[in-house]
Amino acid sequence: MSPIVTFLIGAAILLMLLFYIGTVVHKSKRLIGSALILLMTAFSVITVKNLSIPLGIDLKGGSEFVVELQKGKADDGTEKPVTAESVQQAIAILEKRLNPEGTKDLTMQPQGADRILIQMPGVKAEEFADVRAKIQQVAHLEFRIVHQSSSSKLAEIKANGGVKEPGWEEAKYKKQLDKDGKEIPDRGSELVRNRPDMEGRYVKSAFANTDAEGWKVYLNLDSAGSKLFDDIAAVNKGRQLAIIVDGEIISAPTLQTDHFGGTAVISGNFNQKSAFQLATLLENPLENPMTILSESAVSSAYGQSSIDQGKWVGIAGLAITTLFMLFIYRLAGLIAIVGLVINLAILFGGMSLFQFTLTMPGIAGIVLTIGMAVDANVLIYERLREEMEAGRTLASALEAAYDKAFSAIADSNITTLISAIILFVISGGLVKGFAITLMIGLLSSMIGALIVTRVIFMWVIDKGILKKITTTKIIPDKIFDVLAKAKGFILASLVITAISFATLGYKGAASFGIDFRGGALVHVELKPGKNIADADLDTLLKGLKLENGKSIGSYYPQRKGTATGGDVIAIRSEFDAGPVIAQAVQAKFADATLGAQSSRVGAVIGTESAKTSLIALAVALVGIFIYLMARFEFAFALGAIVALFHDVLMVPGLCVLFGQELSLIHIGAMLTIAGYSINDTIVVFDRIRETIQRGGAGTIRELMNEAICKTLSRTLLTGPTALAPMIVLLFLGNPAMLEFAMPITIGVVLGTYSSIFIASPLVLWYATKTGQSLKRKVLDTHEQAQKAAAAVAAAKTV
């Protein structure tokens, strides 16, 4: 679809939306709304079909690295700082190393002053180690003359307790593989000059070739390098010249002649792969060493399995929600589900149109959208039931229900949107993918609830298909003295909060996952029906060694079932051990494994993530509080924010208590909980204000109890609709989805509870303690709003 066509359709949708909002003629509203829904749905479906949704590395498979450039060394031995030019040069060099043919889907972009984000979707599992090696290798080339009596001098130095030979130093040979892929026995060391005779910067180009003796790497020197190399050969003819890359000797050939014509040859038992790799590195040396701060590697099989699980989880969540809505609201429930399906179509269409990347947490965000989208419908339907019971006709009751529910729906969605935007701006990586789906999901769910279902209702009522609304009541129409039980519930909350904080204090650093304290995490998914015995896995892990020969250190394997019938083994370990474990497990148990995902986070990134997460949470809470202050009286804003702290602060400790380690996913979940908790609280507060503004008799306590009981049915209905998809995630999702589902499940329960038993009592307590008349304040605010609206209307008339 061309950009012009896309623009025209977008303009048409916007224009129709404005007409829909602006018209008050019932028939026009129905027809324009119908055309708008059809156009949006068709455009979304066509967009998804033509453009598709980009998949993140965690779903498509591939690798992602965050690397940091270190200070290099200048020719005079002084430190060479990292500059913007250094970063751009490093990006250009890595492009040549990682994508020499230019055929790979490679993305690199600077992060801050000295970091680079490298993303390589579609990289195969067996290529991960090779990519990692190419990134880290500096390829600092040097030529140094070898001491004429190297072996004897090294033995003499060792005998003298390591006393160095002036002007000379020991350099070890690099470990290499023979042509059959077997490691060549240690070739020992050579005594070489302690300063280079010639630096590698004189190399103009490098390439690999083979002859009767095997694979070799040829170096073409520039004019200055050619003369310098010949000068060295003339003086040292017959001696060995060590060719050193990154401090290790690749080979040390004898200088057979004093004239090389600008070409040097490196031999060293290369195979084709290692020869080409060395040639590429020597042609593109890095001036600044690189350190990998974090990495993530996912096999394509594991990514496809995550997509399959996401589909099953989405279908299961939608099915449960459908059954629930049909049971409670009958035909009206079916209309809500149609609105939900169109909502999902718009969500996917928006992601395709703007090419937002779908990640594993993004799938969880879509599943959450299913639950949260129904919340608006429940709010409208409960209002509709009340209006019908008050004696209105179905058509007038429907108009009143949408009008009265709009304020609560808008306020609750805006506060959740604040959290999502802050999460998107401050966070990065996979959590940003969740924020994107949540933002689009919130907007599309408002369209689904306020436009799609309303237009469908217009049709079925106008055509006589629907003449009355039948619902199942779960709460009787009775006023309970809810506020009288507040002290007991607040005490229970304090006890649970104490348990939550005590758990965090007891576990200490062990409460935090690799996102915050650094380390490695490997997820290995088993094929359905296959298994790896704990004893076999433990035996393998105990015997593993790092490249330096040291033990891999501590490791912690855990198991979890998945929707596809297999198990996932999660193995947490130290930072350096991650790649070793992933490679060893897949090689040893190849017949039993479906795929793997491995990630590593350095301590630097972990510390920064912790700080950034706290900032994101604080900014979100402040933003929500400011919005509440603008929309409600101070007593309401205070009660809401305290209840919000109650919900958010409890979740981390309870998640740790149930066996989880805190990660960035939990921060995303906590911000989502903040939105959901405020969502629920605003609905209750909105009804309290409406009850007071209605001018009913009774004390403020009695009016608040009445309002709470009026929303009790809605509150207890929306909880299960939001919980159903999350519970499906808990039992069917993979480990990344489980990390998200558990805190959300806990948060939804707490949010439902706190909006009734924490937030409302706090409003009454504050009003009582300050001696303010909350009833008078609400009425005064309402009166001012009415006067302002009347003045605007009068100005328009004039």
Side-chain angles (χ1 to χ4, degrees):
M1 193 178 295
S2 69
I4 295 176
V5 174
T6 301
F7 172 78
L8 291 175
I9 294 175
I13 289 174
L14 181 59
L15 192 62
M16 291 169 70
L17 181 61
L18 293 174
F19 270 116
Y20 175 83
I21 295 171
T23 185
V24 293
V25 180
H26 181 83
K27 187 176 180 180
S28 298
K29 202 175 192 73
R30 188 184 70 189
L31 292 175
I32 294 170
S34 301
L36 175 63
I37 294 166
L38 290 173
L39 183 59
M40 284 192 298
T41 306
F43 182 54
S44 297
V45 172
I46 293 171
T47 302
V48 172
K49 186 178 179 181
N50 290 341
L51 298 179
S52 73
I53 301 175
L55 299 179
I57 285 173
D58 56 338
L59 295 177
K60 186 177 182 180
S63 60
E64 178 180 283
F65 298 86
V66 175
V67 298
E68 183 178 58
L69 271 66
Q70 307 294 316
K71 292 180 179 179
K73 283 191 177 181
D75 293 341
D76 58 2
T78 59
E79 279 192 342
K80 191 173 185 179
V82 179
T83 62
E85 290 75 19
S86 305
V87 173
Q88 292 301 324
Q89 183 218 35
I91 288 176
I93 289 170
L94 287 172
E95 174 77 36
K96 293 177 183 177
R97 286 188 184 181
L98 300 174
N99 192 20
E101 295 86 14
T103 57
K104 294 181 180 178
D105 183 12
L106 172 66
T107 302
M108 286 188 288
Q109 55 189 28
Q111 283 194 334
D114 56 0
R115 294 179 187 176
I116 302 172
L117 172 66
I118 306 169
Q119 293 180 315
M120 296 186 70
V123 175
K124 296 178 181 177
E126 55 269 22
E127 297 178 310
F128 292 153
D130 183 49
V131 171
R132 189 183 300 112
K134 286 179 180 178
I135 290 172
Q136 285 187 299
Q137 194 158 358
V138 178
H140 181 209
L141 173 66
E142 298 174 328
F143 299 89
R144 300 193 189 194
I145 292 296
V146 178
H147 197 285
Q148 288 179 314
S149 305
S150 176
S151 300
S152 59
K153 276 293 181 183
L154 284 173
E156 183 182 324
I157 289 171
K158 186 177 181 180
N160 291 335
V163 178
K164 293 183 178 180
E165 180 77 6
W168 301 86
E169 66 183 18
E170 182 180 5
K172 294 183 178 181
Y173 278 94
K174 181 179 177 63
K175 291 182 180 179
Q176 291 185 336
L177 304 178
D178 61 21
K179 296 173 183 177
D180 298 324
K182 296 181 180 178
E183 189 173 301
I184 298 173
D186 189 3
R187 294 182 291 165
S189 309
E190 298 285 3
L191 192 64
V192 300
R193 292 193 196 276
N194 61 359
R195 298 194 69 176
D197 290 275
M198 191 175 86
E199 291 277 6
R201 67 175 181 273
Y202 297 104
V203 174
K204 185 167 60 177
S205 63
F207 63 93
N209 206 346
T210 184
D211 56 23
E213 296 178 358
W215 283 94
K216 297 176 182 178
V217 176
Y218 292 80
L219 305 176
N220 290 324
L221 307 174
D222 61 20
S223 56
S226 178
K227 182 179 183 305
L228 181 57
F229 197 85
D230 285 347
D231 290 344
I232 294 170
V235 176
N236 297 284
K237 183 179 177 180
R239 296 180 66 176
Q240 286 179 284
L241 179 67
I243 302 172
I244 301 173
V245 177
D246 291 342
E248 295 180 306
I249 300 174
I250 301 298
S251 63
T254 301
L255 295 169
Q256 302 288 359
T257 180
D258 56 6
H259 183 73
F260 287 84
T263 301
V265 181
I266 304 175
S267 59
N269 291 307
F270 295 115
N271 56 29
Q272 182 178 2
K273 180 181 177 182
S274 59
F276 272 95
Q277 181 177 347
L278 180 60
T280 301
L281 293 172
L282 293 181
E283 192 171 27
N284 302 289
L286 286 166
E287 294 184 6
N288 298 86
M290 282 189 180
T291 300
I292 294 177
L293 297 180
S294 69
E295 70 173 69
S296 176
V298 184
S299 67
S300 57
Y302 187 92
Q304 184 58 48
S305 175
S306 298
I307 294 172
D308 293 340
Q309 288 178 42
K311 289 177 182 177
W312 281 110
V313 167
I315 291 170
L318 188 58
I320 293 173
T321 304
T322 300
L323 291 174
F324 182 83
M325 292 299 288
L326 289 176
F327 172 73
I328 299 295
Y329 296 112
R330 312 297 198 278
L331 182 57
L334 182 61
I335 292 173
I337 296 303
V338 172
L340 177 57
V341 172
I342 294 175
N343 162 23
L344 292 175
I346 295 171
L347 191 158
F348 289 127
M351 293 193 70
S352 298
L353 181 63
F354 297 105
Q355 290 294 282
F356 291 133
T357 301
L358 178 63
T359 62
M360 205 178 301
I363 292 177
I366 292 169
V367 174
L368 177 63
T369 299
I370 294 174
M372 295 185 71
V374 177
D375 179 66
N377 289 114
V378 171
L379 190 61
I380 293 167
Y381 289 177
E382 288 300 299
R383 283 284 192 172
L384 180 59
R385 182 176 60 82
E386 290 176 16
E387 297 298 328
M388 291 286 290
E389 289 175 352
R392 285 178 178 262
T393 63
L394 182 55
S396 65
L398 184 68
E399 292 298 320
Y402 275 95
D403 290 343
K404 290 183 177 180
F406 177 79
S407 174
I409 292 172
D411 283 336
S412 59
N413 277 274
I414 288 171
T415 50
T416 307
L417 194 60
I418 289 171
S419 299
I421 291 171
I422 290 168
L423 192 61
F424 175 79
V425 172
I426 295 181
S427 67
L430 299 181
V431 181
K432 185 166 285 189
F434 165 72
I436 289 171
T437 55
L438 185 60
M439 283 191 290
I440 300 177
L442 285 168
L443 296 174
S444 62
S445 65
M446 287 191 71
I447 292 173
L450 298 176
I451 298 178
V452 177
T453 58
R454 189 169 188 174
V455 170
I456 296 174
F457 268 120
M458 287 179 183
W459 279 105
V460 296
I461 292 174
D462 291 350
K463 299 302 179 182
I465 299 172
L466 184 66
K467 296 180 179 179
K468 66 175 183 175
I469 296 290
T470 304
T471 63
T472 301
K473 278 190 180 182
I474 60 171
I475 300 292
D477 292 331
K478 186 179 177 181
I479 305 300
F480 303 97
D481 191 0
V482 176
L483 296 174
K485 310 293 182 183
K487 288 184 179 178
F489 285 110
I490 290 174
L491 182 61
S493 291
L494 291 174
V495 171
I496 297 172
T497 303
I499 293 172
S500 175
F501 278 80
T503 302
L504 291 175
Y506 176 74
K507 290 205 170 185
S511 302
F512 299 94
I514 65 169
D515 288 347
F516 296 129
R517 58 186 171 95
L521 176 62
V522 177
H523 285 138
V524 180
E525 184 167 356
L526 305 183
K527 295 176 181 177
K530 296 289 186 178
N531 187 35
I532 298 176
D534 291 338
D536 294 339
L537 180 63
D538 194 52
T539 300
L540 172 67
L541 297 178
K542 280 182 177 177
L544 293 181
K545 302 288 183 183
L546 301 176
E547 288 185 3
N548 57 14
K550 293 183 179 180
S551 167
I552 63 169
S554 57
Y555 54 86
Y556 308 95
Q558 291 179 313
R559 293 176 183 266
K560 185 189 181 298
T562 69
T564 53
D567 284 342
V568 171
I569 302 176
I571 306 169
R572 299 181 185 271
S573 65
E574 301 301 322
F575 182 83
D576 292 329
V580 178
I581 291 173
Q583 187 174 359
V585 172
Q586 288 188 89
K588 175 71 174 177
F589 305 107
D591 294 338
T593 58
L594 179 64
Q597 177 191 37
S598 64
S599 55
R600 298 196 297 167
V601 178
V604 173
I605 290 286
T607 303
E608 291 179 359
S609 297
K611 291 179 180 177
T612 303
S613 300
L614 290 174
I615 292 171
L617 198 56
V619 171
L621 293 176
V622 171
I624 291 171
F625 183 70
I626 291 172
Y627 180 79
L628 289 172
M629 283 287 293
R631 291 285 292 130
F632 291 86
E633 286 72 25
F634 180 79
F636 288 110
L638 180 65
I641 209 71
V642 172
L644 184 57
F645 271 103
H646 164 275
D647 299 342
V648 170
L649 295 180
M650 268 196 196
V651 168
L654 294 177
C655 286
V656 172
L657 183 65
F658 293 131
Q660 288 195 327
E661 291 181 349
L662 301 180
S663 67
L664 287 175
I665 298 293
H666 285 83
I667 299 301
M670 287 166 69
L671 286 171
T672 306
I673 291 164
Y676 182 86
S677 174
I678 285 294
N679 181 329
D680 223 26
T681 304
I682 281 176
V683 172
V684 176
F685 285 179
D686 199 65
R687 181 56 72 93
I688 291 173
R689 288 198 311 179
E690 182 186 326
T691 304
I692 294 173
Q693 289 166 2
R694 191 188 63 214
T699 64
I700 186 66
R701 182 192 186 94
E702 291 170 342
L703 292 174
M704 288 181 71
N705 271 324
E706 179 187 342
I708 292 169
C709 291
K710 285 286 186 182
T711 58
L712 200 57
S713 178
R714 172 264 165 201
T715 301
L716 296 181
L717 282 174
T718 54
T721 57
L723 277 176
M726 291 299 103
I727 292 172
V728 173
L729 277 181
L730 279 175
F731 290 99
L732 298 181
N734 63 23
M737 294 181 187
L738 174 64
E739 268 192 317
F740 177 85
M742 183 175 287
I744 288 293
T745 301
I746 295 172
V748 168
V749 173
L750 289 174
T752 303
Y753 156 80
S754 68
S755 62
I756 299 171
F757 300 110
I758 302 296
S760 299
L762 282 173
V763 172
L764 181 61
W765 172 83
Y766 178 81
T768 304
K769 287 293 181 183
T770 57
Q772 297 177 352
S773 173
L774 184 62
K775 187 175 181 179
R776 186 68 264 158
K777 276 184 168 293
V778 171
L779 291 173
D780 288 344
T781 303
H782 181 58
E783 186 179 339
Q784 290 171 7
Q786 285 184 321
K787 287 181 179 178
V792 171
K796 286 183 178 179
T797 304
V798 174

